[in-house]
Amino acid sequence: MNRYRYCLAILLGCLCVIGFSGLRVYAYESLNWLKDTLIPIFEEQTGIEVTLVTLGDAGNILSRLILEKRRPLSDVVLGLDQSLAYRALSEGLLEPVAPRNADRIVDKSLFFEPEGYLYPFDYGALAIIYDPDRLPDPPTSFRELTTRPKSLLIQDPRNSSTGLAFFLWTVAVYREDWREYWKALRPAILTLTTGWSEGFAKFEAGEAPMMVSYATDGAYSYHAYGSDRYKAFIPMEGAFYQTEYVGVTKGTENPEQARLFVEFVLSERFQSEVPLNQWMFPTTPVELPEAYEHAVTSSIHVSISAAEVSKNLDQWLAEWEEIMY
Amino acid sequence: MESAIFIPFFLPPVSTVIAFSLLFSTNGLLSRLGIHIPILYTMWAILVAHAFYNSPIFVKYIGAALRTIPPALEEAALCEGAGRWARFWRIEGPLVLPAAAKAFFLCFAYSFMSFAVVLNLGGLQYSTLEVAIAGALRGQFDFSRALTYAIAQFGCLFLLNALLSLIPEVSTGGAPLSLSRERPLRLTTVSSALYAAFEYGIVLIGLLGLCYDFRLGAFSLEPFLRLFSADFNRRFPVIRSLINTFGVASLAAIGAVLAAFLFGKARGNWAQRVILPTLGVSSAFLAMALLYLHILYRLPLFLLLTLGYLLSTLAVAYALMRPMVRNFPLHWVESAKIDGASRLQVFRSIELPLLFPVFAAVFFQVFAIVFGEFTLPYTMQIRDYLPLASVVNYAMDAQRYYRESAAFSGMNTAIVGALFLVSNALIQRRRVI
């Protein structure tokens, strides 16, 4: 019998040893590119071991932070955007941090109030991307978008930050009439994906000719295929910008190491990788690659205040669900 | 051959979803052949996928019931001049009905709780309670809504299980027949062939992904070999996921087999009443409970996941094990006890050797279910802590590594198929004993 007991003890011992040390960074799925590019550089520079935990889309990061509020398992949070940041702050999930290189961020309007918690590391306008081979005459406005049955891929606003940003974009454009707009848009939607990555996989597989994505996707197309294989357009009603932030989890056991990571995210090394990997604009002065000339822009900007979003979002999403299902 | 029809039932759901998109997407195999069947994200895709998955239950139950009809009954009917239809309505139909009803309920329950297929093929309009629970927990963290759905799901399946237990076991006393003496109708032959082509066609497409590049239309082992390269493993921990999955699935299957054996030996029907309703427990909800245990008490995920799988497969293991354990000749056990053997000695020297093929068969079937299971690790989002094959495969597909994803999916299909064949060979050995 003793033999069995020894085996059991060794097994339990092994299970307990399989733990994690170092810094845990929560990010969303499409930030996975950091794993084999920038994370090894940070590890080499600082000697700090990093575990990058990718959790679906940014909405999933927020729910995991709420779940872990009492006993946080993460140190750094990468990828919350303005619509999620408000909730993260009001729930008290973040800790103030003072990266020494924060002054590298040129456009101060990108900062999230109150300052000191979140630092913008990239931003970009949302856009509708399309395959010109399958859609030679793309729509030009939100209204026209509703006339193309089963041709648009969108992300679930309840799970995905891109999906939520698209939803808020329509609210910013249509204000009180957004419900009517979504009723009209519904037949044009082929399907709803849980995140941007899943959506883009389906778009690239040719399942639908249009998808909600980013204005820089024209640049991606030019870079990846050497041509404008996929084009993007911003509906004439105006552009909606999404800003993504890095912050430190409240209750982290490694505040000093977490600060170093935030500094790394704002550093030249990290920021210069943003344009061609993250396909968003960096927030610090970095020379943009040639492909970025293919990114679409718009002179009209629409937005919605974080306070208004926070006050109404749950109600809006419940109503959205009623319309969609 | 008939038992091999059960392979699709054990296929990893992610592999099935990948096979469906290889077949039906606008760039898929059928489109290239000029056959446009745009069913993805429609009710049709969901129906076809669930028919693919669950129809083997009907084949198994109805096939087994047909074989126990005593030949004397059929012969008597023949002597009375009854034709095929008369025999179907008056003999085969009524005698097969309880088995068909059981298969119907099981099929209903599995479809009712479906997750990966509906999540990926359900599109905009279609959802199951399980998908809604995972969405509420992962996305908005709406605990009360998830709990309401979980209770509703449990209630429905509890009722279903109660109804199921009302169906009487029909015993005709007939010995299993090996072959029908009549030639089957041509319609039966054709429809059986079409059915087999449908089931195995999808399995074959999945398997082919291992060595065939559907997008380029050429054979290539390159994506498969890349699965094991160091670079690729840095981004998608394929090797680690296989080791973890084998570890978790083996331990959970051993636990489920032993627990099912002990419950199967229990007198009366209480064990059945307690265990079978656990089929209705939401896996997404269980996942969240396990994750919370990890967060609060830092319990190792490996242990929690093993326990989770043990709980979620116990009902299946019990259902498979119970008839064998019930029919075990008790007089051998009693003789051993009279001779002074302890419980452990009885188990080691009598029950284990005689029931070993049964244990092994149930072990492999539970192992195959756990191997492909997707709901728990997907809802827990633990791919970077404890990668398992199903979620790593899903992530590859989501991140557009289609060729590698199809190769991994093909390999997982092959593993499950091989496990099934081993398990089947063991059952055949038991029949010999």
Side-chain angles (χ1 to χ4, degrees), chain A residues 290-303:
Chain A
E290 188 202 332
Y292 267 61
E293 286 165 18
H294 295 258
V296 290
T297 52
S298 167
S299 56
I300 311 168
H301 291 188
V302 292
S303 64

Side-chain angles (χ1 to χ4, degrees), chain B residues 14 236-249 301-302 305-306 309 370-378 380-396 408 412:
Chain B
V14 175
F236 298 104
V238 174
I239 299 171
R240 252 178 75 204
S241 78
L242 282 172
I243 296 171
N244 288 337
T245 311
F246 270 94
V248 169
L301 284 168
F302 189 90
L305 215 57
T306 306
Y309 280 132
V370 176
F371 189 85
E373 210 281 335
F374 176 67
T375 318
L376 281 191
Y378 175 79
M380 290 171 83
Q381 302 189 90
I382 49 170
R383 201 184 78 230
D384 293 298
Y385 298 133
L386 187 77
L388 294 184
S390 58
V391 274
V392 171
N393 198 174
Y394 179 78
M396 279 178 206
F408 195 28
N412 292 339

